[in-house]
Amino acid sequence: MVDLQEFPLQVKLSFAKVLEMLKKRMHQSQNEVTKNYLKSILDYAESFPELINGIEDPEKIDEYQEILSTLLDNLFPAALTKNEIKAATIPFKNKIFNPTRRFASIIEDAGEDFDLTIRNLDPNYSYIIGCVIILNSYYNYDIDFKRPMFYEIPDKNGVIRTYRASMNADFTFCEPTENSIEITQEIVDKLIENGDNVDLWKEYFPPQSWILKGLTILNLTDVTVDDSISDLKNTLLSKRNLKQGSTAKQFQSIFSSIFNIPDLRVGFTEFDKEEDYFKRMSGGDAASFILNEETRSDCRQSMCDCSYNTLIHDKKYFVIPDVEDYAKKNENEVLAQNLLKQDIKSCMLAPITMGNELLAVLELVSSKRNSLHSLNATKLDDVMPYIISTVERKKFEEENRIKAVIQNECTSIHPSVLWIFEEEAKRFISNQNEGKFAAFKDIAFEDVYPLYGQIDIVGSSDERNKAIQQDILIQLELVHGILELALESNPIPIYEQVKFRIQEFTEEIKERLNANSESEVFALLQEEVNPLLSHLNTKIPELKREIDNYKKSINKDTGLIYRNRKNYDDTVQLINQNLATFLDRKQQEAQQIFPHYFERYKTDGVDHNIYIGASMTPKEKFNKVYLYNLRLWQLCTMCEMENHFYHKQEGIELQLDAASLILVFSTTLSIRYRMDEKKFDVDGTYNARYEIIKKRIDKALVKGTDERITQKGKIAIIYSQDADAEEYTRYIKYLQRKDYLGSEIEYLELEDVQGVVGLKAIRVNVLYTSKLPRSNDEETITYEDLMEILD
């Protein structure tokens, strides 16, 4: 309801225009009976002058029910009262009177608490409409302001019905008050230019400055189906896919309105053409009544021949009006049993097709018998095109997403350089179309600056070997235990000899694990132990439980215990995945600094390459400031990755350490995309020195010592020119102030590595936070303190 205190019009109920209409009809009529009838109505109305002058209080209408009904008799024919949805209303007031029987029945079914209001009515828009009514009715302008108005009214079953409202305002007129402002053409032009500026309209039409007298005739038309189809279109267009739970609820409400079935439920099942399988929507919340609790099912096993042929072969609606009767006729069919288990009494399955290909099945079900049948199935004809279009779009988007993932995970064509590949592809296709020789040229970029960084697991080889050693010893101990039990039951020499071999291997592996240890143990197990265990399993039944437990503990593919190694591999995988994900997210921020090429790869840690330069971004002007900015970003990000490395191990039994380094290379180089390797690599003999440094630098030692340059809790910045040291010293001081780096700075020289001489390093300790994510006001701690917290 409109707030009439903040409205340009004072609204009063008046029958003045109605009486004018009756008088006009009386004078024009040639029928004496009609004239006498109309005259009697007019004489009757003269006894109620307040109905002509206007009544402001809507509650007083109840006192005039009889006279109102008489005056409106000509506008509300009794013969149509059961058919028309019609009532008289006071303009802009939520008050109806003299409703037809059908209108009154609809309002009664809606319940006592129901409030009849226009859907999505904006108060500001209502104010401007009031002003336009004054312009049109008093000043005779013809300003078009009409827009569809809808009421949403629940029926007796709770299903929301939608009605389009039609307002007849022929019996209204406007009058100015002493507060009214005279409106000129110049003002009208100004107002029309500012149709959404309610403050401007209020300036020329102050609240309560005009009077509106009369009444309006409200006609409603049930447009539930049309409106629900419109809602369905909007829902399908506004959602990127059908997976979201809110969308499923909207579908249920929409289809309930279309079919006028309050308990209607909506399901969705995808179809796999290759395997002739039904499957639940991946990652979605949509129900599947065909599958019930299953994830997937063979179509032939799920349906009888009739339903299979109708739905999948002929791609027509398959309707079951009475599920219980259907189940009796198809006792062993999975579909019938699944429907009964879900309290479904009637069901409609609609194929969603693209061309002649079945993509999915839309499912409508009800808990009432005969609610869904072949007659109301035709209602789906109007909505299926939109559903099919959405499923097609979903399929197309999913295919594109798969391609994007493949490109991102399996190739090195980074989005920042995709433009040059697209240009070359266009040239390639153009040559093909013109019948010319088509060959994909090499892609290369000259004069680019490289940045390289890595965060590696300290002593990864030792940790892996330790895990292998533990697994082998566990397996040998299990075999040793079985052989001891065998000797107790039946002491024969062969058991003693194999036991001796097991003890020999155990002592060797406890002392040292060499490169051949694993293969030697495997040979022993395969050639001597396994045949012996098979013999013992049948010869000494008492050992069956121990042998079975041994077999359960080993990996079926390798024949070896894979416990500690799995723990190590899982921990490394978890750390690497988290670090890679974090780096990818941070790298998207770095692209905002300046577009550049980026690649990262996982080993025992995460390494990354960055190339930046003018040749990569011809549409943007490159400046070395962007390079400096990116170097600072890299150092800052490496500090954050150190924090993530340790915090992601919280609660994990195996605790690993990390060592980080950054390689500074001040001169530009050229890179070329290697078609055979599907990756970028440096181009030329001179540039190859950069790749050599990258591969060998993490093994470098501090000059005059046996100490590796990479150390846990620290970041090593490798460089060759003093200007680089000065630049990174500035970055370090800045990050020290931000509590990313500590005060322990070392300036070191490195021992010469094969093919690489004259390298130096800055090594600085990392400061850690007690929890993630890092906050600006959080106290930072050293590596030693962090270890105490994590322990």
Side-chain angles (χ1 to χ4, degrees):
M1 183 170 63
V2 176
D3 181 6
L4 295 180
Q5 296 302 314
E6 284 294 321
F7 198 62
L9 294 160
Q10 302 175 35
V11 180
K12 297 181 179 182
L13 174 64
S14 170
F15 279 78
K17 285 283 186 178
V18 175
L19 296 178
E20 283 183 19
M21 181 268 292
L22 295 176
K23 285 179 183 178
K24 188 175 181 180
R25 282 190 59 196
M26 182 183 69
H27 293 311
Q28 291 176 345
S29 177
Q30 302 298 318
N31 189 304
E32 288 299 321
V33 175
T34 301
K35 280 186 176 184
N36 291 333
Y37 167 69
L38 294 173
K39 185 176 183 307
S40 64
I41 293 177
L42 291 169
D43 291 342
Y44 182 45
E46 288 179 2
S47 305
F48 303 93
E50 62 271 29
L51 293 180
I52 299 173
N53 298 327
I55 300 174
E56 252 183 289
D57 186 0
E59 300 306 321
K60 286 189 176 182
I61 294 177
D62 297 335
E63 301 174 11
Y64 301 93
Q65 287 294 337
E66 185 178 345
I67 178 62
L68 297 182
S69 177
T70 302
L71 293 177
L72 294 173
D73 188 53
N74 282 270
L75 300 174
F76 289 79
L80 301 178
T81 191
K82 294 182 180 180
N83 185 45
E84 290 187 334
I85 310 172
K86 187 175 178 182
T89 69
I90 303 176
F92 298 102
K93 291 189 178 182
N94 194 23
K95 179 69 176 179
I96 64 171
F97 56 93
N98 203 57
T100 61
R101 287 188 185 178
R102 186 177 176 191
F103 196 121
S105 176
I106 290 172
I107 299 300
E108 182 180 347
D109 289 342
E112 294 181 2
D113 298 332
F114 176 72
D115 184 23
L116 186 67
T117 54
I118 296 173
R119 183 175 71 187
N120 300 329
L121 184 63
D122 183 353
N124 288 337
Y125 177 75
S126 298
Y127 196 101
I128 293 172
I129 291 305
C131 300
V132 174
I133 287 172
I134 297 169
L135 292 175
N136 285 352
S137 64
Y138 188 82
Y139 290 100
N140 294 320
Y141 285 101
D142 187 16
I143 301 173
D144 185 12
F145 66 93
K146 294 179 181 178
R147 55 180 289 187
M149 294 183 296
F150 297 92
Y151 290 99
E152 291 183 342
I153 307 174
D155 65 14
K156 59 185 177 182
N157 295 316
V159 176
I160 301 298
R161 311 294 297 173
T162 303
Y163 298 87
R164 182 187 290 115
S166 174
M167 297 284 190
N168 184 340
D170 291 345
F171 306 108
T172 61
F173 61 95
C174 292
E175 293 177 348
T177 68
E178 57 184 16
N179 297 323
S180 301
I181 297 173
E182 183 64 28
I183 305 299
T184 63
Q185 181 65 54
E186 183 180 355
I187 293 173
V188 173
D189 294 342
K190 185 178 179 181
L191 291 170
I192 290 175
E193 288 178 8
N194 297 274
D196 58 350
N197 188 346
V198 69
D199 292 331
L200 180 65
W201 287 81
K202 285 183 177 180
E203 181 182 333
Y204 294 104
F205 295 94
Q208 302 284 297
S209 59
W210 287 77
I211 297 173
L212 177 66
K213 291 184 178 181
L215 60 89
T216 52
I217 306 299
L218 172 64
N219 282 277
L220 300 183
T221 305
D222 191 336
V223 293
T224 301
V225 174
D226 293 340
D227 192 61
S228 296
I229 292 173
S230 178
D231 282 348
L232 179 64
K233 287 193 288 183
N234 292 335
T235 300
L236 294 173
L237 290 172
S238 64
K239 304 292 180 183
R240 293 197 58 79
N241 52 49
L242 302 178
K243 294 182 181 179
Q244 302 166 25
S246 59
T247 306
K249 291 179 181 177
Q250 283 180 290
F251 274 14
Q252 188 160 311
S253 175
I254 290 168
F255 280 104
S256 288
S257 296
I258 292 174
F259 284 86
N260 198 24
I261 300 174
D263 71 331
L264 188 74
R265 289 179 285 164
V266 181
F268 189 88
T269 301
E270 292 186 348
F271 175 70
D272 187 333
K273 178 184 177 183
E274 299 300 324
E275 298 187 32
D276 200 29
Y277 262 78
F278 284 130
K279 61 181 181 179
R280 192 177 295 276
M281 192 190 317
S282 56
D285 296 325
S288 172
F289 303 111
I290 291 176
L291 296 174
N292 193 10
E293 297 177 352
E294 297 295 324
T295 303
R296 55 183 285 163
S297 175
D298 185 286
C299 294
R300 284 288 187 185
Q301 295 178 1
S302 301
M303 316 185 89
C304 66
D305 291 340
C306 177
S307 56
Y308 180 90
N309 291 331
T310 303
L311 191 65
I312 296 174
H313 186 266
D314 298 334
K315 299 173 182 63
K316 295 179 179 179
Y317 301 153
F318 183 71
V319 185
I320 310 174
D322 189 339
V323 172
E324 290 180 345
D325 182 61
Y326 173 78
K328 290 177 183 177
K329 296 176 181 177
N330 302 271
E331 292 182 8
N332 298 320
E333 194 198 27
V334 175
L335 175 62
Q337 299 307 315
N338 277 342
L339 295 177
L340 286 178
K341 289 176 185 177
Q342 299 168 85
D343 192 31
I344 296 170
K345 301 297 175 60
S346 60
C347 171
M348 186 182 298
L349 306 178
I352 300 172
T353 60
M354 182 172 64
N356 198 39
E357 180 184 351
L358 178 65
L359 303 178
V361 177
L362 174 68
E363 308 163 329
L364 304 180
V365 302
S366 170
S367 59
K368 293 182 180 179
R369 175 177 168 272
N370 289 333
S371 289
L372 295 162
H373 45 77
S374 59
L375 295 178
N376 61 11
T378 56
K379 291 186 177 184
L380 283 178
D381 293 345
D382 296 322
V383 302
M384 288 305 291
Y386 309 114
I387 295 175
I388 290 170
S389 176
T390 300
V391 174
E392 287 179 357
R393 187 180 75 240
K394 173 183 175 289
K395 183 180 177 66
F396 178 73
E397 289 175 352
E398 193 170 287
E399 289 173 352
N400 283 345
R401 188 177 180 186
I402 291 170
K403 291 176 183 177
V405 169
I406 292 172
Q407 177 177 305
N408 185 57
E409 297 296 328
C410 306
T411 74
S412 298
I413 304 177
H414 191 263
S416 60
V417 296
L418 187 59
W419 62 271
I420 196 168
F421 287 88
E422 290 176 342
E423 285 186 359
E424 183 57 27
K426 290 175 184 176
R427 187 197 63 80
F428 181 91
I429 293 170
S430 176
N431 285 344
Q432 278 189 332
N433 292 340
E434 294 174 11
K436 299 178 181 178
F437 174 74
F440 209 90
K441 293 182 179 178
D442 285 346
I443 304 293
F445 294 102
E446 297 181 352
D447 297 324
V448 295
Y449 292 92
L451 291 86
Y452 173 75
Q454 71 174 42
I455 177 169
D456 264 359
I457 295 171
V458 175
S460 58
S461 297
D462 292 339
E463 289 290 345
R464 183 180 287 106
N465 288 339
K466 182 180 176 182
I468 294 171
Q469 183 183 39
Q470 290 172 337
D471 284 340
I472 291 175
L473 290 174
I474 290 171
Q475 188 161 1
L476 292 176
E477 185 178 346
L478 289 174
V479 174
H480 186 271
I482 293 172
L483 292 174
E484 282 193 330
L485 292 174
L487 284 167
E488 291 176 6
S489 298
N490 189 10
I492 62 175
I494 189 63
Y495 301 165
E496 186 71 39
Q497 187 269 333
V498 175
K499 177 186 170 185
F500 173 74
R501 293 268 287 152
I502 294 295
Q503 289 172 331
E504 266 191 325
F505 269 100
T506 300
E507 290 170 5
E508 286 180 17
I509 290 168
K510 278 183 180 179
E511 182 179 342
R512 183 171 61 90
L513 183 75
N514 59 47
N516 297 324
S517 294
E518 192 172 9
S519 59
E520 289 174 356
V521 169
F522 181 75
L524 171 67
L525 294 171
Q526 289 291 104
E527 296 170 11
E528 299 184 43
V529 173
N530 289 349
L532 182 58
L533 292 180
S534 298
H535 165 75
L536 291 173
N537 203 19
T538 56
K539 186 71 175 176
I540 309 176
E542 294 83 0
L543 294 180
K544 181 174 176 24
R545 186 174 67 177
E546 282 73 14
I547 294 173
D548 287 344
N549 288 337
Y550 167 77
K551 289 181 178 179
K552 288 178 183 177
S553 66
I554 63 176
N555 184 281
K556 293 181 180 179
D557 296 327
T558 63
L560 298 171
I561 284 182
Y562 181 58
R563 185 182 304 164
N564 291 285
R565 227 176 331 170
K566 183 177 188 303
N567 189 18
Y568 173 83
D569 291 341
D570 289 347
T571 302
V572 171
Q573 185 178 9
L574 173 67
I575 293 171
N576 283 352
Q577 188 57 51
N578 279 305
L579 289 177
T581 301
F582 175 77
L583 183 58
D584 288 344
R585 187 169 65 249
K586 295 293 290 185
Q587 200 275 326
Q588 291 174 4
E589 299 173 11
Q591 289 291 342
Q592 304 305 312
I593 297 172
F594 192 81
H596 56 273
Y597 177 80
F598 169 86
E599 65 179 359
R600 57 106 180 122
Y601 39 95
K602 294 176 282 189
T603 53
D604 283 342
V606 176
D607 300 6
H608 66 270
N609 285 318
I610 295 175
Y611 299 105
I612 184 172
S615 61
M616 286 187 159
T617 53
K619 293 183 180 179
E620 297 190 40
K621 189 175 181 180
F622 175 74
N623 189 297
K624 286 193 76 173
V625 170
Y626 298 125
L627 170 64
Y628 303 145
N629 215 330
L630 201 57
R631 284 175 172 173
L632 176 57
W633 167 88
Q634 182 189 38
L635 181 55
C636 181
T637 300
M638 292 295 289
C639 293
E640 293 181 2
M641 289 177 71
E642 279 270 347
N643 271 272
H644 273 261
F645 179 92
Y646 290 105
H647 282 289
K648 292 303 177 183
Q649 295 184 69
E650 290 185 56
I652 296 177
E653 180 182 347
L654 180 63
Q655 294 292 314
L656 302 173
D657 284 310
S660 300
L661 72 79
I662 289 173
L663 174 61
V664 185
F665 202 77
S666 295
T667 57
T668 60
L669 45 76
S670 298
I671 59 173
R672 183 176 300 276
Y673 188 78
R674 309 291 181 190
M675 292 295 180
D676 53 342
E677 298 178 10
K678 303 300 180 187
K679 61 176 288 188
F680 276 101
D681 203 352
V682 295
D683 192 29
T685 306
Y686 173 76
N687 295 330
R689 178 173 178 269
Y690 173 71
E691 286 295 322
I692 294 172
I693 295 174
K694 276 173 37 180
K695 291 175 181 177
R696 298 175 180 172
I697 196 59
D698 64 327
K699 304 290 193 300
L701 303 177
V702 177
K703 198 163 191 176
T705 72
D706 292 329
E707 179 186 343
R708 289 267 291 265
I709 186 60
T710 54
Q711 293 292 318
K712 62 187 179 183
K714 298 181 179 182
I715 292 180
I717 302 166
I718 316 298
Y719 67 95
S720 58
Q721 299 184 18
D722 291 340
D724 298 330
E726 293 175 6
E727 177 187 342
Y728 273 86
T729 298
R730 294 195 298 270
Y731 300 156
I732 290 169
K733 288 181 179 178
Y734 170 71
L735 292 179
Q736 284 174 330
R737 178 164 295 190
K738 290 179 67 69
D739 289 332
Y740 276 75
L741 295 172
S743 58
E744 303 171 14
I745 304 178
E746 303 169 271
Y747 292 89
L748 308 167
E749 291 186 26
L750 303 187
E751 291 283 2
D752 295 342
V753 181
Q754 183 181 3
V756 183
V757 296
L759 292 180
K760 302 176 182 180
I762 306 174
R763 196 163 65 187
V764 58
N765 66 309
V766 179
L767 293 181
Y768 300 89
T769 56
S770 58
K771 59 183 179 179
L772 292 178
R774 174 191 289 266
S775 60
N776 292 331
D777 58 350
E778 186 176 355
E779 182 181 354
T780 52
I781 55 179
T782 63
Y783 168 81
E784 289 74 17
D785 294 335
L786 179 67
M787 291 300 102
E788 289 184 11
I789 291 174
L790 295 180
D791 287 343

